[in-house]
Amino acid sequence: MDLRQETGGGLWEALRDAGAAALVTAGLSFPILALRTVENLDNKLELEQRWPLMFGAAMLVFFGRLAARVPGAGVAARWIVFVCAAFAAIYLVIDAWGMDADFPAPELVALAVALAAMVGLWLTAPFAATSALARKQQGARAFLGARSRHMEFAGVFALFAFPLLALWLLGPQGSLKWINNYGVQILIYVMLGWGLNIVVGLAGLLDLGYVAFYAVGAYTYALLSTVFGLSFWICLPLAGLFAAFWGVLLGIPVLRLRGDYLAIVTLGFGEIIRVVLINWTDLTNGYAGISSIPRITFFGIPFIDDDETGFAARFGLEFSPIHRTIFLFYLILCLALLTNAATLRLRRLPIGRAWEALREDEIACRSLGVDTVSTKLTAFALGAMFAGFAGAFFAVRQNFVSPESFTFGESATILAIVVLGGMGSQLGVAAAAVALIGGMEILRELDILKQVFGESFDPAQYRMLVFGLAMVVMMIWKPRGVVSSRAPSIYLRSRAAISGEHVGEGRG
Amino acid sequence: MTRWLSEPLLAVDHLSMRFGGLVAVDDFSFVAGRGDITALIGPNGAGKTTVFNCITGFYKPTIGRIALARSGKIEATGVEALTRSGRRSAVSQTCDLYLLERMPGHEIARSARVGRTFQNIRLFQGMTVLENLIVAQHNELMRASLMTVGGLIGLPSYSQAEKLALDKAANWLERIGLLDRADDAAGALPYGDQRRLEIARAMCADPVLLCLDEPAAGLNPRESGELNDLLLSIRDKDRVSILLIEHDMSVVMKISDHVVVLDYGRRIADGAPVQVREDPAVIAAYLGVADAGETKASVGGGQ
Amino acid sequence: MGNFLQQLINGVTLGSIYGLIAIGYTMVFGIIGMVNFAHGDVFMLSAFIALIFYLALTQMFGVLSLPLAFILVLLGAMVFTGLWNWAIERVAYRPLRGSFRLAPLISAIGMSIFLSNFVQVVQGPRNKPTPPLFTDLIKVEVGGYDVTLSYKQIMIVSVTALLLAGFWFLVQKTSLGRAQRACEQDRKMAALLGVDVNRTISMTFVIGAMLAAVAGTLYMVYYGVVNFADGAAPGLKAFTAAVFGGIGSLQGAVIGGLIIGLVEVFFSAYFSSDYKDVAPYAILIVTLIFMPSGLLGRPEVEKV
């Protein structure tokens, strides 16, 4: 049952193969899914048996795999069969076992679907192979790589218009969610993605502790504002500088290391920063975090409901908390665009070309007299600086920081955005941030599912589950990211994008 | 007197390189003359590439001294004085002297101006042919961009420097016949073109000594002929000295002024091509691994 | 002195667990050059599987003999964790083999997020207190200090030693071990010589998971509580141990695990238990700067 083999063969083979896959699924589900540990009244653990779930998952996989392997069917037909099979399996199980209303609990049905989706990846493997050709053609065309100036202006204009449009269409109440949860939240990750893109995408240095610099920025603003009462506009550059300083401090000893060693050291550094934030309670207040951080002001004018000094009063508007949110949106938009502009400009300067050359071949760089250590250090420090800016913004937006926000999971998410977007591609990274972070936000509020699975169903619980799966699926779908091609930094005659197959990924 | 004795540019003294128990280069000395094409030959595994890596700073030699005069000529007294001083380089009126074994790799390329190519081509595959040649001018452009700051704010002097760099790159592309492919990915070029591009890239960094590691390996006779012309023009037109490792005896005999033969990490012969060809020790060394006729005809080493 | 001895015992116990997990990281890295970030969560999953097996045996099948139950739990955890890792490799890593270097890494991070959340959803987010096992203690007074050596600790160290010996035999003396080492050296050449590379890689994942399952079982017994989030920290520390010992080196993984365990225990005993998690990383960073290929790793000769 080789996954990669052609989906040919007879019906018998397809059946046998599907049976084997179903058996594996049953084996996987047997201890962990079919038996649930629950505490009884004496706080002792007991086992709750949920065999239908195991059979449901196995059947799902059986039908799914069968649908994928049945000889002579088209791709669309296979998927239709698969979806039908999935629903059939679920209902069959529920019906055949004559369960009462909450057994299996709706969550568990959903979970069976999730488990099946994991094995469903299996099914997509043969399809992925056929799309390899399409991918190549796409790379040559590089539809996102080379884009026109007009498109860029239109995009930026749309971003600036977004909060006003939302406000106009949905009113102050309705638009808050869109501007804050989608707009600001996504833009923070776009900015972080772009910052990390300098380190990972351009210079090819695998940084698994990027969130440490984000934390440095956030705590810089949190502490400077609460202890010394400094304003955000003074703290913002300081946060960036401070984070860059930490980047250099960490970079000097570790950038001599290559490959995965650099990754583990940066990871260790990220953990150290977090542990220090947790335990240095005199400074950081530990787990409890720093609260009542001063909120953002309109260059000194506070967003408060005050007839004299408030932003709304000064500008003759009716007070609404949405003003602050919109201002925050524009602030992070400007910060993100600054990151982007700096990156695009640096790419066309010798330092940027040296970063990319370093990613392609470090030894050749040395033979040409490029000082690899200082080149890496600048990439590291610049990436850290943008994370520092983003961190200060995070602190002023939340008016609260705690170590919980700076876990390895955050670093992994940002890295995933960069890799999924296509290393080195600004637009790809932005697209990946929109897809991943926006997708997570959407998952947060899928109330429709409640109608399907009942009131006890909590979609938030499945958010990270689906997020993790999505990362795996997207990698298998596009291992080099959404935009794998590379736009040259300088050209003689024509500026055609370079196909991703030639572009290196760095060893550092 | 031959040029490598009258006007030496590179002097390697008592060079030894050990990897664990293995002695790759053993008390090896030679000099290369300014304006010469010096060929370093020897059977597979003789230690030629190790010598290269020591000269270009990729390995730190276990023992030995490698002196290079960026300008002027090497004189024993100057080298001795510099060695004792513990410094890396000395600039005097007669010569600009560097002790390469004391310098890190990128400094050797940047200050002492030693350029090199690699046995298994190392281009920046995902960058365009043009970008490869621009990266080679990194240090000059960095200076022009005032360590990036000037470039960021768009100083006109930087645009000027970039334009000059582009002209230089275009000039080299014309010389190696790749002007049409300037905006293609370097990794997409055919093998022979990649070899020539790597040489052009090294030349764009303005070396005084160009070290070529088997430049003719894998080339067909036509390409090999073109390569000879390119190397001769680099020697005669650009006045850059060349040190080359080569297995293809037709290339070695045709273009080199000076041949040094290495076997088991030791120097077994040194002299003009005709002299070396007749040397019994050389014939013995080559016969040990292959028939003399075969050696002559062999195109590229299978290292 | 007494305190020192006590910490030594605790450190070796913890280090045994780290060492067992670290082998999984080092083996996978050795054979396909990939950092398997999901390995810590596989370890966590195995602890849950062990717990479920123990409850099933004692409550549903009425197995009363503790040693018998323990052996069955160990076997069950090994088999089913092995199966899980086999399936994970098949689904999430194999399609990416030979692809972009970071792709399998991201896939592994995704798998790690999936696994911990999967266990959270199916088993619940709360801590699972496990029944106390092997509770007897041996007390010795050394220099006015009561040194306690629990049966648990004896059991953990001896089971680890025994399984490592078996593992050693497997890798050094069997054809599977040879195939593994061949694939590590040169996968293409091994395939040309008739080694079934896919099978060898699958088996590497299975064996790594089995050792992680041993660690998971011992962890469950030692700490008496398991949680869906328990994979991250031991996973990171075991990975640290693998790198510290020299990634790719099996002895290195075990020694690294022991050292990281000892460092953590001694640091929290003599300096600060708040910062105990900093110590292993700090030592790792310092080691890598001065000894870039770890304690026993093959020094990387730069090929020019």
Side-chain angles (χ1 to χ4, degrees):
Chain A
M1 37 180 272
D2 188 351
L3 305 179
R4 285 292 183 171
Q5 90 194 21
E6 285 301 305
T7 51
L11 183 63
W12 172 239
E13 265 165 60
L15 274 172
R16 214 173 46 180
D17 179 66
L23 263 179
V24 169
T25 313
L28 294 179
S29 326
F30 161 61
I32 199 80
L33 188 60
L35 296 167
R36 182 187 169 102
T37 51
V38 283
E39 276 172 77
N40 64 14
L41 294 173
D42 307 329
N43 270 338
K44 285 245 170 65
L45 285 182
E46 279 179 352
L47 287 178
E48 180 190 296
Q49 303 182 35
R50 302 180 299 182
W51 301 107
L53 221 58
M54 178 175 127
F55 287 104
M59 282 174 76
L60 217 90
V61 168
F62 178 79
F63 285 117
R65 185 99 181 123
L66 195 62
R69 294 288 314 263
V70 158
V75 172
R78 285 175 204 283
W79 278 107
I80 293 167
V81 176
F82 171 62
V83 173
C84 293
F87 277 102
I90 293 169
Y91 285 105
L92 195 70
V93 168
I94 292 173
D95 191 53
W97 288 72
M99 273 152 303
D100 46 331
D102 56 350
F103 189 40
E107 291 99 316
L108 299 178
V109 176
L111 195 81
V113 176
L115 189 68
M118 176 173 149
V119 186
L121 280 177
W122 227 338
L123 317 170
T124 59
F127 304 141
T130 54
S131 68
L133 190 74
R135 205 180 306 148
K136 239 178 214 164
Q137 290 167 346
Q138 199 179 53
R141 258 187 283 127
F143 69 111
L144 284 172
R147 54 200 193 279
S148 71
R149 284 254 147 208
H150 302 295
M151 287 284 285
E152 275 171 40
F153 277 122
V156 171
F157 180 78
L159 279 171
F160 273 96
F162 168 74
L164 299 178
L165 201 67
L167 186 63
W168 183 58
L169 286 175
L170 302 165
Q173 290 296 319
S175 61
L176 182 69
K177 184 187 84 187
W178 287 96
I179 300 170
N180 192 40
N181 297 11
Y182 290 91
V184 176
Q185 183 74 3
I186 290 174
L187 280 172
I188 290 181
Y189 281 92
V190 170
M191 173 157 183
L192 287 170
W194 278 344
L196 185 61
N197 198 18
I198 296 176
V199 184
V200 180
L202 292 183
L205 304 165
L206 185 51
D207 183 354
L208 291 177
Y210 191 60
V211 81
F213 305 120
Y214 186 41
V216 167
Y219 272 85
T220 302
Y221 173 59
L223 290 171
L224 288 182
S225 64
T226 52
V227 178
F228 299 105
L230 293 183
S231 94
F232 176 75
W233 301 103
I234 296 171
C235 292
L236 182 67
L238 286 179
L241 284 178
F242 211 58
F245 170 73
W246 273 98
V248 172
L249 216 61
L250 172 71
I252 287 172
V254 308
L255 286 174
R256 282 161 219 281
L257 301 172
R258 280 177 310 151
D260 301 275
Y261 295 118
L262 180 68
I264 172 74
V265 169
T266 51
L267 191 157
F269 177 70
E271 286 297 298
I272 288 177
I273 289 261
R274 198 171 61 85
V275 174
V276 169
L277 288 180
I278 290 171
N279 291 301
W280 193 356
T281 41
D282 293 343
L283 185 74
T284 64
N285 203 19
Y287 273 116
I290 299 172
S291 50
S292 55
I293 298 169
R295 289 176 182 275
I296 191 78
T297 60
F298 186 77
F299 306 103
I301 306 169
F303 290 95
I304 49 170
D305 191 4
D306 186 299
D307 288 343
E308 303 263 306
T309 54
F311 170 82
R314 289 273 191 103
F315 288 84
L317 299 165
E318 195 178 327
F319 173 78
S320 163
I322 195 81
H323 296 152
R324 180 191 292 128
T325 311
I326 290 177
F327 184 65
L328 283 173
F329 178 90
Y330 283 125
L331 178 60
I332 186 68
L333 180 60
C334 289
L335 284 173
L337 289 177
L338 174 80
T339 313
N340 181 44
T343 310
L344 289 181
R345 189 138 188 111
L346 286 167
R347 265 200 77 206
R348 299 197 177 95
L349 288 174
I351 187 71
R353 288 198 199 102
W355 289 337
E356 290 199 83
L358 209 59
R359 178 192 66 203
E360 298 286 321
D361 196 323
E362 184 173 342
I363 287 173
C365 274
R366 270 193 273 160
S367 82
L368 295 171
V370 176
D371 182 349
T372 52
V373 173
S374 71
T375 305
K376 286 178 183 178
L377 211 54
T378 45
F380 217 61
L382 272 170
M385 185 181 79
F386 289 121
F389 289 153
F393 177 82
F394 175 81
V396 80
R397 176 204 182 203
Q398 307 278 3
N399 17 77
F400 170 73
V401 289
S402 82
E404 297 291 288
S405 310
F406 308 105
T407 56
F408 170 65
E410 284 299 294
S411 287
T413 306
I414 304 165
L415 182 67
I417 287 172
V418 173
V419 177
L420 289 176
M423 297 194 352
S425 158
Q426 296 292 96
L427 207 58
V429 168
V434 171
L436 275 187
I437 306 303
M440 274 218 279
E441 289 299 320
I442 289 174
L443 285 174
R444 202 195 281 278
E445 48 179 316
L446 276 186
D447 286 336
I448 310 157
L449 287 180
K450 276 204 171 142
Q451 285 159 18
V452 179
F453 295 111
E455 273 307 308
S456 64
F457 181 79
D458 176 16
Q461 231 188 328
Y462 299 90
R463 212 157 62 96
M464 291 311 285
L465 189 92
V466 175
F467 180 69
L469 267 184
M471 270 167 82
V472 177
V473 175
M474 284 179 82
M475 272 296 104
I476 292 174
W477 175 52
K478 277 194 182 302
R480 281 183 161 264
V482 187
V483 183
S484 60
S485 60
R486 173 181 172 272
S489 64
I490 192 169
Y491 61 97
L492 216 51
R493 285 174 191 161
S494 66
R495 186 161 164 233
I498 293 169
S499 154
E501 62 189 305
H502 296 299
V503 181
E505 51 186 322
R507 287 295 315 162
Chain B
M1 197 158 77
T2 50
R3 194 154 36 173
W4 60 91
L5 293 177
S6 67
E7 204 186 337
L9 142 110
L10 174 78
V12 173
D13 282 326
H14 303 290
L15 180 74
S16 290
M17 183 75 206
R18 280 192 205 96
F19 298 102
L22 180 84
V23 182
V25 178
D26 187 10
D27 198 29
F28 175 62
S29 305
F30 79 102
V31 288
R34 188 178 302 282
D36 272 351
I37 293 180
T38 309
L40 193 58
I41 66 168
N44 283 339
K48 304 180 296 289
T49 299
T50 307
V51 171
F52 253 47
N53 286 339
C54 289
I55 293 174
T56 50
F58 285 92
Y59 295 157
K60 281 272 154 277
T62 318
I63 314 172
R65 180 172 64 195
I66 306 165
L68 178 114
R70 190 169 143 186
S71 61
K73 62 181 179 185
I74 292 184
E75 265 156 14
T77 49
V79 174
E80 281 305 321
L82 177 57
T83 310
R84 273 194 308 276
S85 75
R87 285 181 299 130
R88 287 172 175 177
S89 59
V91 181
S92 70
Q93 281 178 338
T94 49
C95 98
D96 246 355
L97 199 60
Y98 293 86
L99 288 184
L100 304 188
E101 81 280 3
R102 294 181 179 174
M103 299 164 72
H106 72 273
E107 275 295 328
I108 290 179
R110 181 158 72 182
S111 314
R113 301 274 175 177
V114 178
R116 74 168 289 177
T117 64
F118 298 87
Q119 201 171 333
N120 42 348
I121 306 173
R122 285 184 174 274
L123 288 171
F124 306 124
Q125 304 232 343
M127 301 175 86
T128 63
V129 170
L130 181 69
E131 282 178 310
N132 268 271
L133 300 187
I134 299 289
V135 171
Q137 304 174 53
H138 174 77
N139 288 312
E140 217 161 303
L141 287 171
M142 267 312 253
R143 261 192 305 279
S145 75
L146 303 176
M147 298 331 239
T148 307
V149 180
L152 265 182
I153 56 174
L155 281 189
S157 63
Y158 173 70
S159 328
Q160 198 64 38
E162 198 183 59
K163 211 181 155 296
L164 285 178
L166 262 178
D167 288 346
K168 186 176 186 182
N171 181 30
W172 269 103
L173 286 176
E174 197 158 12
R175 276 178 76 177
I176 60 171
L178 286 179
L179 198 55
D180 292 340
R181 307 214 55 181
D183 298 318
D184 292 346
L189 293 181
Y191 187 81
D193 290 349
Q194 294 201 9
R195 281 253 176 244
R196 284 206 310 284
L197 176 61
E198 204 189 12
I199 294 172
R201 185 180 69 180
M203 284 304 295
C204 277
D206 283 334
V208 295
L209 174 68
L210 179 64
C211 301
L212 305 173
D213 199 345
E214 298 197 29
L219 300 187
N220 62 34
R222 187 181 55 80
E223 290 172 325
S224 187
E226 285 171 7
L227 178 76
N228 286 354
D229 296 341
L230 177 66
L231 297 188
L232 289 173
S233 86
I234 287 174
R235 180 190 66 183
D236 300 332
K237 215 174 122 193
D238 304 288
R239 304 258 160 224
V240 170
S241 318
I242 294 174
L243 179 65
L244 106 148
I245 293 177
E246 193 45 74
H247 275 280
D248 187 338
M249 286 304 150
S250 66
V251 175
V252 171
M253 292 304 156
K254 214 177 280 169
I255 66 167
S256 48
D257 305 294
H258 174 196
V259 179
V260 179
V261 190
L262 197 62
D263 193 20
Y264 292 108
R266 293 173 158 277
R267 186 178 73 174
I268 58 168
D270 186 341
V274 267
Q275 259 175 303
V276 166
R277 190 160 48 185
E278 312 290 305
D279 195 307
V282 177
I283 294 167
Y286 273 91
L287 282 179
V289 285
D291 184 63
E294 232 177 81
T295 309
K296 269 191 174 175
S298 76
V299 176
Q303 267 185 7
Chain C
M1 182 61 211
N3 188 19
F4 179 82
L5 202 62
Q6 179 70 67
Q7 301 310 334
L8 193 70
I9 293 168
N10 296 350
V12 168
T13 315
L14 187 62
S16 303
I17 293 176
Y18 288 160
L20 284 169
I21 311 174
I23 289 178
Y25 279 111
T26 224
M27 274 171 66
V28 167
F29 188 89
I31 203 158
I32 53 175
M34 163 197 161
V35 179
N36 182 9
F37 263 103
H39 195 62
D41 294 283
V42 169
F43 155 77
M44 176 275 300
L45 182 77
S46 78
F48 267 89
I49 293 177
L51 172 63
I52 289 166
F53 263 89
Y54 178 77
L55 293 176
L57 284 172
T58 50
Q59 293 172 6
M60 289 159 74
F61 297 97
V63 178
L64 292 176
S65 152
L66 184 57
L68 177 66
F70 178 74
I71 289 171
L72 289 176
V73 165
L74 203 59
L75 284 177
M78 284 169 77
V79 168
F80 283 94
T81 313
L83 184 67
W84 263 97
N85 219 20
W86 179 85
I88 290 170
E89 191 269 335
R90 211 60 196 262
V91 169
Y93 308 148
R94 190 174 295 181
L96 293 171
R97 201 176 299 153
S99 159
F100 205 47
R101 181 174 64 106
L102 286 180
L105 183 79
I106 299 295
S107 188
I109 291 174
M111 205 26 107
S112 153
I113 295 173
F114 169 76
L115 280 177
S116 59
N117 284 280
F118 175 76
V119 172
Q120 181 192 3
V121 167
V122 291
Q123 297 291 336
R126 306 212 348 224
N127 272 343
K128 304 283 176 184
T130 65
L133 301 170
F134 303 103
T135 44
D136 293 325
L137 299 171
I138 301 173
K139 271 193 187 163
V140 188
E141 203 190 288
V142 181
Y145 188 94
D146 271 342
V147 176
T148 48
L149 177 62
S150 67
Y151 276 32
K152 263 190 233 176
Q153 290 173 318
I154 298 175
M155 198 249 335
I156 287 173
V157 174
S158 48
V159 167
T160 305
L162 203 70
L163 278 156
L164 284 181
F167 169 71
W168 195 247
F169 176 80
L170 189 75
V171 172
Q172 292 296 323
K173 304 282 177 204
T174 64
S175 64
L176 174 68
R178 264 197 302 281
Q180 243 163 16
R181 278 175 286 143
C183 287
E184 251 173 64
Q185 296 284 326
D186 188 336
R187 216 187 306 156
K188 235 180 231 158
M189 195 62 207
L192 287 174
L193 293 174
V195 174
D196 185 341
V197 174
N198 278 342
R199 190 175 152 270
T200 309
I201 292 175
S202 281
M203 284 316 290
T204 305
F205 273 85
V206 170
I207 294 169
M210 284 181 158
L211 291 175
V214 177
T217 311
L218 299 176
Y219 180 88
M220 189 253 315
V221 171
Y222 192 50
Y223 286 101
V225 59
V226 292
N227 182 278
F228 76 95
D230 277 355
L236 276 185
K237 281 179 203 154
F239 178 41
T240 305
V243 177
F244 183 66
I247 198 147
S249 153
L250 299 176
Q251 301 100 303
V254 177
I255 294 169
L258 284 173
I259 291 178
I260 295 288
L262 285 168
V263 164
E264 189 181 325
V265 166
F266 275 100
F267 194 86
S268 58
Y270 288 103
F271 297 100
S272 147
S273 67
D274 287 343
Y275 287 98
K276 74 180 162 71
D277 288 342
V278 168
Y281 299 121
I283 286 195
L284 171 86
I285 292 175
V286 172
T287 315
L288 280 183
I289 290 165
F290 293 105
M291 230 192 296
S293 34
L295 290 179
L296 298 180
R298 266 173 263 125
E300 215 171 315
V301 176
E302 191 170 50
K303 285 206 184 104
V304 179

